[in-house]
Coordinates of all heavy atoms in Angstrom, one line a residue:
E615 N 18.7 89.3 28.9 CA 18.9 88.0 29.4 C 19.7 87.2 28.4 O 19.2 86.2 27.8 CB 17.5 87.3 29.7 CG 16.7 88.1 30.8 CD 15.6 87.2 31.3 OE1 15.5 86.0 31.0 OE2 14.8 87.8 32.1
P616 N 21.0 87.5 28.2 CA 21.8 86.8 27.2 C 22.0 85.3 27.5 O 22.3 84.6 26.5 CB 23.1 87.6 27.3 CG 23.1 88.2 28.7 CD 21.7 88.5 29.0
W617 N 21.8 84.9 28.7 CA 22.0 83.4 29.0 C 21.0 82.6 28.2 O 21.2 81.4 27.9 CB 22.0 83.1 30.5 CG 20.8 83.6 31.2 CD1 19.6 82.9 31.4 CD2 20.6 84.9 31.7 NE1 18.7 83.7 32.0 CE2 19.3 84.9 32.3 CE3 21.4 86.0 31.9 CZ2 18.7 86.1 32.9 CZ3 20.9 87.2 32.5 CH2 19.6 87.2 33.0
K618 N 19.8 83.2 28.0 CA 18.8 82.4 27.2 C 19.1 82.4 25.7 O 18.9 81.4 25.0 CB 17.4 83.0 27.4 CG 16.9 82.8 28.9 CD 15.5 83.3 29.1 CE 15.0 83.0 30.5 NZ 13.6 83.5 30.7
T619 N 19.7 83.5 25.2 CA 20.3 83.4 23.9 C 21.3 82.3 23.8 O 21.3 81.5 22.9 CB 21.0 84.8 23.5 OG1 20.0 85.7 23.2 CG2 21.8 84.6 22.3
Q620 N 22.2 82.2 24.8 CA 23.3 81.2 24.8 C 22.7 79.8 24.8 O 23.1 78.9 24.1 CB 24.2 81.5 26.0 CG 25.0 82.8 25.8 CD 25.3 83.4 27.2 OE1 25.5 82.7 28.2 NE2 25.5 84.7 27.2
K621 N 21.6 79.6 25.6 CA 21.0 78.3 25.8 C 20.4 77.9 24.4 O 20.6 76.7 24.0 CB 19.9 78.4 26.8 CG 18.9 77.2 26.9 CD 17.8 77.5 27.8 CE 16.7 76.4 27.7 NZ 15.6 76.7 28.6
Y622 N 19.6 78.7 23.8 CA 18.9 78.3 22.6 C 19.8 78.2 21.4 O 19.7 77.4 20.5 CB 17.7 79.2 22.3 CG 16.5 79.0 23.2 CD1 16.1 79.9 24.2 CD2 15.9 77.7 23.1 CE1 15.0 79.6 25.0 CE2 14.8 77.4 24.0 CZ 14.4 78.4 24.9 OH 13.3 78.1 25.8
V623 N 20.8 79.1 21.2 CA 21.7 79.1 20.1 C 22.5 77.8 20.2 O 22.7 77.1 19.2 CB 22.6 80.3 20.1 CG1 23.8 80.1 19.1 CG2 21.9 81.5 19.7
A624 N 23.0 77.4 21.4 CA 23.7 76.2 21.6 C 22.8 75.0 21.2 O 23.3 74.0 20.6 CB 24.2 76.0 23.0
Y625 N 21.6 75.0 21.7 CA 20.6 73.9 21.4 C 20.4 73.7 19.9 O 20.5 72.6 19.3 CB 19.3 74.2 22.1 CG 18.3 73.1 21.8 CD1 18.2 71.9 22.5 CD2 17.4 73.2 20.7 CE1 17.3 70.9 22.2 CE2 16.4 72.2 20.4 CZ 16.4 71.1 21.2 OH 15.5 70.1 20.9
I670 N 26.2 89.0 20.4 CA 27.0 87.9 20.9 C 26.0 86.8 21.3 O 25.1 87.0 22.1 CB 27.9 88.3 22.0 CG1 29.0 89.2 21.4 CG2 28.5 87.1 22.7 CD1 29.9 89.9 22.4
G671 N 26.3 85.6 20.9 CA 25.5 84.4 21.3 C 26.4 83.5 22.2 O 26.6 83.9 23.3
T672 N 26.8 82.4 21.7 CA 27.7 81.5 22.4 C 28.7 80.9 21.5 O 28.3 80.2 20.6 CB 27.0 80.5 23.3 OG1 27.9 79.7 24.0 CG2 26.1 79.6 22.4
P673 N 30.0 81.1 21.6 CA 30.9 80.4 20.8 C 31.0 78.9 21.0 O 31.0 78.5 22.2 CB 32.3 81.1 21.1 CG 32.1 81.5 22.5 CD 30.6 81.9 22.7
M674 N 31.0 78.1 20.0 CA 30.9 76.7 20.1 C 32.3 76.0 19.8 O 32.4 74.8 20.0 CB 29.9 76.1 19.2 CG 28.4 76.5 19.5 SD 27.9 76.0 21.1 CE 27.7 74.3 20.9
A692 N 37.5 80.2 23.1 CA 36.5 79.8 24.1 C 36.8 78.4 24.6 O 36.1 77.4 24.3 CB 35.1 79.8 23.5
P693 N 38.0 78.2 25.4 CA 38.4 76.9 25.8 C 37.4 76.3 26.8 O 36.7 77.1 27.6 CB 39.7 77.2 26.5 CG 39.7 78.7 26.9 CD 38.9 79.3 25.8
R694 N 37.3 75.0 26.8 CA 36.3 74.3 27.7 C 37.0 73.2 28.3 O 37.9 72.6 27.8 CB 35.1 73.8 26.9 CG 34.2 74.9 26.4 CD 33.2 74.3 25.3 NE 32.1 75.2 25.0 CZ 32.2 76.3 24.2 NH1 33.4 76.5 23.6 NH2 31.2 77.0 23.9
G697 N 33.0 70.4 27.8 CA 32.4 70.4 26.5 C 30.9 70.8 26.6 O 30.3 71.2 25.6
N698 N 30.4 70.9 27.8 CA 29.0 71.3 28.0 C 28.9 72.7 28.5 O 27.8 73.2 28.9 CB 28.3 70.3 29.0 CG 28.9 70.4 30.4 OD1 30.1 70.9 30.5 ND2 28.2 70.0 31.4
E699 N 30.0 73.4 28.4 CA 29.9 74.8 28.9 C 29.5 75.7 27.8 O 30.2 76.1 26.9 CB 31.3 75.3 29.3 CG 31.9 74.4 30.5 CD 32.9 73.4 30.0 OE1 32.6 72.8 28.9 OE2 33.9 73.1 30.6
V700 N 28.2 76.0 27.8 CA 27.6 76.8 26.7 C 27.3 78.3 27.1 O 26.9 79.1 26.3 CB 26.3 76.2 26.1 CG1 26.6 74.8 25.6 CG2 25.2 76.2 27.2
Y701 N 27.5 78.5 28.4 CA 27.2 79.9 28.9 C 28.5 80.7 29.1 O 29.5 80.2 29.4 CB 26.4 79.8 30.3 CG 25.1 79.0 30.2 CD1 25.0 77.7 30.6 CD2 24.0 79.7 29.7 CE1 23.8 77.1 30.5 CE2 22.8 79.1 29.6 CZ 22.7 77.7 29.9 OH 21.5 77.1 29.8
I702 N 28.3 82.0 28.9 CA 29.5 82.9 29.0 C 29.6 83.4 30.4 O 28.6 84.0 31.0 CB 29.3 84.1 28.0 CG1 29.3 83.5 26.6 CG2 30.4 85.1 28.1 CD1 28.9 84.5 25.5
C703 N 30.7 83.2 31.0 CA 31.0 83.8 32.3 C 31.6 85.2 32.2 O 31.2 86.1 33.0 CB 32.0 82.8 33.0 SG 32.4 83.3 34.7
S704 N 32.5 85.4 31.3 CA 33.1 86.7 31.1 C 33.8 86.8 29.7 O 34.0 85.7 29.1 CB 34.1 87.0 32.2 OG 35.2 86.1 32.1
M705 N 34.1 88.0 29.3 CA 34.7 88.2 28.0 C 35.9 89.2 28.1 O 35.8 90.1 28.9 CB 33.7 88.7 26.9 CG 32.6 87.7 26.6 SD 31.5 88.5 25.4 CE 30.6 89.7 26.4
F730 N 36.7 84.2 25.6 CA 35.5 83.9 26.4 C 35.9 83.0 27.6 O 36.7 82.1 27.4 CB 34.4 83.2 25.6 CG 33.8 84.1 24.6 CD1 34.3 84.2 23.3 CD2 32.6 84.7 24.9 CE1 33.7 85.0 22.4 CE2 32.0 85.5 23.9 CZ 32.5 85.6 22.7
V731 N 35.4 83.2 28.7 CA 35.4 82.2 29.8 C 34.1 81.6 29.9 O 33.1 82.3 30.1 CB 35.8 82.8 31.2 CG1 35.7 81.8 32.3 CG2 37.2 83.5 31.1
M732 N 34.0 80.3 29.7 CA 32.7 79.6 29.5 C 32.4 78.8 30.8 O 33.3 78.4 31.5 CB 32.8 78.6 28.3 CG 33.2 79.2 27.0 SD 32.1 80.6 26.5 CE 30.6 79.6 26.2
T733 N 31.1 78.6 31.0 CA 30.7 77.8 32.2 C 29.5 77.0 31.9 O 28.8 77.3 30.8 CB 30.3 78.8 33.4 OG1 29.8 78.0 34.5 CG2 29.3 79.8 32.9
A734 N 29.2 76.0 32.6 CA 28.1 75.1 32.4 C 26.8 75.6 33.0 O 25.7 75.1 32.7 CB 28.3 73.7 32.9
S735 N 26.9 76.7 33.8 CA 25.7 77.2 34.4 C 25.4 78.6 33.9 O 26.4 79.4 33.7 CB 25.9 77.3 35.9 OG 26.1 76.0 36.5
P736 N 24.1 79.0 33.7 CA 23.8 80.3 33.2 C 24.3 81.4 34.1 O 24.0 81.3 35.3 CB 22.3 80.3 33.0 CG 21.8 79.2 33.9 CD 22.9 78.2 33.9
G737 N 25.0 82.4 33.6 CA 25.4 83.5 34.4 C 24.4 84.7 34.4 O 24.6 85.6 33.6
K738 N 23.4 84.6 35.3 CA 22.4 85.6 35.2 C 22.8 86.9 35.9 O 22.0 87.9 35.8 CB 21.2 85.0 36.0 CG 20.6 83.8 35.3 CD 19.4 83.3 36.0 CE 18.8 82.0 35.3 NZ 17.6 81.5 36.0

Side-chain angles (χ1 to χ4, degrees):
E615 297 196 10
W617 55 90
K618 289 184 178 177
T619 286
Q620 294 153 25
K621 168 188 171 182
Y622 283 114
V623 169
Y625 177 85
I670 291 174
T672 180
M674 295 299 289
R694 291 166 167 82
N698 62 341
E699 301 97 325
V700 300
Y701 298 101
I702 298 170
C703 182
S704 63
M705 297 180 288
F730 293 86
V731 175
M732 307 300 295
T733 177
S735 301
K738 298 182 181 181

